[in-house]
Amino acid sequence: MDLRFRDAKPTDEERAAVDDLLGPPASAWTGGSRTDADLRMAVRAEEARDQLLPALHAVNDRVGWISEGALDYICRRLNVPPSEAYGVATFYSLLSVEERPKRVLHVCTDLACQAKGSKAVCDRVRERFGPPGKDWQESPCLGLCERAPAALALEAGVPHRAEVYAPATPDTITTITGTAPGTNGHAPAVHVAGETPVKEAVPQSGDPGLVLLRRIGQVDPASLDDYRAAGGYTALRRAFELGPTGVIREVLESGLVGRGGAAFPTGRKWEATARQPDHPHYLVCNADESEPGTFKDRVVMEGDPYALIEAMTVAAYATGCTKGYLYIRGEYPRATARLQHAIATARSRGLLGDDILGKGLSFDIELRRGAGAYICGEETAIFNSIEGRRGEPRSKPPFPVEKGLFGKPTVVNNVETLVNVLPILERGAPAYAAAEPKLFCVSGAVERPGVYELTFGATLRELLDLAGTTGTTRAVLLGGAAGAFVTDLDIPLTFEGTRNAGATLGSGVVLVIDDSVDLAALLLRIAQFFRDESCGQCVPCRVGTVRQEEALHRLARRVDPNEPRRADDPDLVLLREVGQTMRDASICGLGQTAWNAVESAIDRLGVFK
């Protein structure tokens, strides 16, 4: 594709998709028909670059791919250079600038699905469609790990159709790949094949001791009235009683830290943002839950969406934000639909918008869909994605609380962090701190996979007793692909306890590995994941992730179970050097953690030794 305007014309369908989102063009300068007024006055169109990703989604969702004419039209509408728009369109795995069928199947081959037999699913799909390409693709984690292996079918049309299949097995592959022609015009916006109640993802559902998960499976997630009857909006009313400073004080005293992996004190982040004199302030909810093995945020959004809306409103009140962005994974169709409904309902009932609950607070939420990029889980990469740029991390400082989204003070929290604010205000900081809840995503070789809620301090063994292990547990991967393998089941599940054990809680991933899993293949999948997901911005990560995968492939080909590998094996030495370089010099957490799981498997599990 040429990287300048070549006057390629969009089809009527492509033009309609863009105009439905942006409205009709005002003049020839923004893609409309040329008039005498346009010739007399060449006024530069106002840039609306932040609508670039939604516009790309609009065309991709309706047509199935983004042609040169469609991209040209989007660029004229938004006043974005074609070369830059092309760079954005090709950054995301769910978008395509090459023609492909309207229906594309994405088969998860990541850690939990690989451990549960996704290879057999891929083999059956390959028999029918050939190698991965236009009809189907091997996908990174779809966030359906409790029902692995999983697949997601996306079908373009009006409306866009998404079908989730979990578990996906070789025996059901005909259902997955089959579709009746011409049905997409009559299908619901989000269709979940073989829909499973969200409560099935919470084995503890109904337990009276639950805090964060107490409503999931017990309350209709679509009903605002049911949510309020179950204690909803108590925390917001309490926030209005305390005032913004009082809310921040409660969060500080509770000791709440971020649940996305960095564990930065939430109250300090809120306090720093609130103090910034520059306005407006922005709130960003990071719901781009892409760490392999992680699905807790998806379960909360599907099962208790109003809790997230209320929590974002509390955060906005405390930090002086009038606009919030909820950035959700493109692979979460059901959660997206639930949140769209919840936001619209809350807005219609006066719980979003102007003068919320008659207290003078003005705050609204805009939902933004990601398009398949793990790196957009990094807080500054989210800013670039929302602003219509490639989702690459920014150098810090300046930090987001000083100069974040659109160059303004911004507070960024993930879903689990935000919903923890509600019990802090409902119960008070001391009571919350005495029994602080934490969510864990348990998958792999267990009888009851799902999201579990425990208080900090419980051991890994206690968690696995709840889930019920199957067979002999060889190892547990804590923290996902960016985490580490452990064999000690008596590790306390706290940030300090896992750190002392040379691991991390990360995003709460607990993937149980038994003797049936090929650990060498699992490590190769981790290395492939980081190679694919590296944004390529910095050399240590861009080159290091490739070299790591290459070295692992060489080791895997030469492994002889009867011959121990020498510690000075050149590929093992290279792995350690590359891993340390990535850890020390990468610009963001992706490169800094890409070596963690591989290192722990070699040192603790004896893989490749």
Side-chain angles (χ1 to χ4, degrees):
M1 179 180 288
D2 202 294
L3 303 186
R4 54 187 169 83
F5 286 118
R6 297 202 308 178
D7 292 323
K9 302 299 181 184
T11 65
D12 291 343
E13 190 175 24
E14 291 167 340
R15 183 185 292 270
V18 177
D19 290 349
D20 285 349
L21 174 73
L22 303 177
S27 71
W29 300 105
T30 56
S33 301
R34 181 167 295 177
T35 66
D36 291 341
D38 293 326
L39 296 175
R40 290 194 299 269
M41 185 172 62
V43 179
R44 178 178 174 84
E46 181 180 356
E47 184 170 334
R49 184 168 185 147
D50 69 295
Q51 291 298 308
L52 178 56
L53 185 54
L56 294 172
H57 265 305
V59 174
N60 200 75
D61 289 350
R62 185 170 299 193
V63 182
W65 68 291
I66 303 159
S67 70
E68 182 178 351
L71 190 66
D72 185 290
Y73 184 61
I74 290 170
C75 291
R76 292 184 185 278
R77 291 299 315 271
L78 300 179
N79 195 32
V80 175
S83 60
E84 296 184 20
Y86 181 79
V88 172
T90 55
F91 185 82
Y92 298 97
S93 65
L94 295 182
L95 305 179
S96 176
V97 294
E98 297 181 358
E99 187 171 4
R100 63 181 181 182
K102 284 201 168 189
R103 182 181 175 91
V104 178
L105 180 68
H106 302 261
V107 180
C108 180
T109 59
D110 230 316
L111 308 183
C113 288
Q114 180 175 336
K116 299 297 271 187
S118 64
K119 184 179 183 300
V121 178
C122 288
D123 289 344
R124 185 64 62 87
V125 176
R126 189 177 285 106
E127 288 176 7
R128 178 164 181 177
F129 290 111
K134 293 183 177 181
D135 291 288
W136 75 284
Q137 300 173 0
E138 295 182 350
S139 170
C141 185
L142 295 173
L144 295 162
C145 315
E146 83 281 12
R147 289 180 281 147
L152 171 68
L154 298 177
E155 186 172 346
V158 183
H160 175 230
R161 180 182 174 93
E163 294 180 311
V164 175
Y165 299 90
T169 68
D171 295 334
T172 60
I173 205 65
T174 302
T175 303
I176 293 174
T177 55
T179 181
T183 60
N184 51 338
H186 306 284
V190 178
H191 171 67
V192 182
E195 183 166 348
T196 302
V198 70
K199 70 176 294 183
E200 298 300 321
V202 182
Q204 297 167 295
S205 180
D207 186 330
L210 294 177
V211 177
L212 304 178
L213 302 177
R214 68 186 185 276
R215 281 182 288 262
I216 296 179
Q218 308 301 308
V219 172
D220 180 1
S223 173
L224 177 57
D225 291 332
D226 284 5
Y227 175 72
R228 298 183 78 166
Y233 283 94
T234 301
L236 181 59
R237 293 182 184 279
R238 176 60 177 158
F240 287 138
E241 294 173 2
L242 293 172
T245 303
V247 172
I248 292 174
R249 182 172 59 250
E250 285 287 307
V251 175
L252 283 167
E253 292 177 356
S254 73
L256 175 65
V257 299
R259 298 294 201 253
F264 188 85
T266 304
R268 285 176 54 191
K269 184 183 289 188
W270 287 19
E271 185 177 47
T273 305
R275 288 179 175 175
Q276 296 299 317
D278 194 13
H279 284 273
H281 295 177
Y282 290 104
L283 170 67
V284 174
C285 172
N286 182 354
D288 192 57
E289 181 183 50
S290 304
E291 184 67 47
T294 311
F295 52 96
K296 58 185 174 58
D297 290 353
R298 188 207 90 226
V299 170
V300 171
M301 291 185 289
E302 288 181 358
D304 201 7
Y306 290 105
L308 181 56
I309 305 305
E310 181 184 3
M312 289 184 68
T313 308
V314 171
Y317 175 65
T319 56
C321 300
T322 57
K323 179 71 177 285
Y325 288 88
L326 204 169
Y327 188 98
I328 188 170
R329 285 194 76 186
E331 296 90 341
Y332 281 180
R334 186 193 296 174
T336 299
R338 293 266 170 91
L339 285 166
Q340 286 172 333
H341 172 77
I343 291 170
T345 303
R347 189 179 293 126
S348 69
R349 300 278 288 273
L351 296 170
L352 286 175
D354 296 329
D355 196 24
I356 294 173
L357 292 179
K359 299 296 183 179
L361 172 64
S362 293
F363 174 68
D364 211 340
I365 296 172
E366 182 176 341
L367 190 70
R368 288 292 182 94
R369 275 196 299 150
Y374 170 77
I375 191 61
C376 287
E378 198 276 338
E379 62 181 2
T380 61
I382 284 184
F383 301 157
N384 279 338
S385 185
I386 292 173
E387 292 176 11
R389 307 180 191 281
R390 290 168 61 89
E392 296 173 343
R394 300 175 182 177
S395 297
K396 293 180 280 192
F399 294 98
V401 297
E402 303 163 321
K403 192 178 179 67
L405 185 64
F406 303 120
K408 298 297 183 179
T410 306
V411 59
V412 187
N413 292 121
N414 80 339
V415 173
E416 186 187 354
T417 306
L418 285 165
V419 296
N420 265 276
V421 173
L422 304 183
I424 291 173
L425 296 181
E426 292 164 354
R427 301 161 61 186
Y432 172 87
E436 186 174 355
K438 176 73 183 82
L439 301 182
F440 296 94
C441 312
V442 183
S443 62
V446 294
E447 296 173 355
R448 295 174 294 280
V451 178
Y452 286 82
E453 179 183 313
L454 296 177
T455 56
F456 273 112
T459 65
L460 179 57
R461 187 182 303 277
E462 291 173 319
L463 175 58
L464 296 188
D465 285 345
L466 285 174
T469 56
T470 60
T472 302
T473 299
R474 181 177 180 185
V476 177
L477 179 61
L478 289 180
F485 290 94
V486 299
T487 56
D488 180 6
L489 301 185
D490 294 314
I491 295 173
L493 294 174
T494 63
F495 292 105
E496 298 78 11
T498 52
R499 191 180 304 119
N500 292 338
T504 176
L505 277 186
S507 55
V509 174
V510 179
L511 175 61
V512 182
I513 306 296
D514 63 13
D515 292 331
S516 68
V517 175
D518 183 345
L519 274 173
L522 200 67
L523 292 187
L524 284 169
R525 183 64 186 93
I526 290 173
Q528 179 191 3
F529 170 80
F530 282 114
R531 180 208 66 197
D532 289 344
E533 297 298 338
S534 172
C535 74
Q537 181 180 193
C538 69
V539 173
C541 180
R542 181 176 70 242
V543 177
T545 52
V546 174
R547 296 292 173 261
Q548 175 173 264
E549 186 189 19
E550 291 172 346
L552 287 173
H553 273 292
R554 289 193 296 270
L555 286 168
R557 286 195 298 267
R558 302 199 325 257
V559 164
D560 182 348
N562 300 315
E563 181 180 337
R565 192 165 300 283
R566 292 166 42 191
D568 62 349
D569 181 285
D571 283 317
L572 286 176
V573 173
L574 175 64
L575 273 174
R576 295 189 188 281
E577 291 177 350
V578 168
Q580 194 60 49
T581 300
M582 289 193 292
R583 183 176 291 162
D584 292 342
S586 296
I587 193 174
C588 79
L590 188 153
Q592 293 164 9
T593 60
W595 157 242
N596 288 358
V598 177
E599 179 185 34
S600 65
I602 292 173
D603 292 343
R604 298 173 188 168
L605 307 181
V607 183
F608 300 131
K609 282 190 175 181

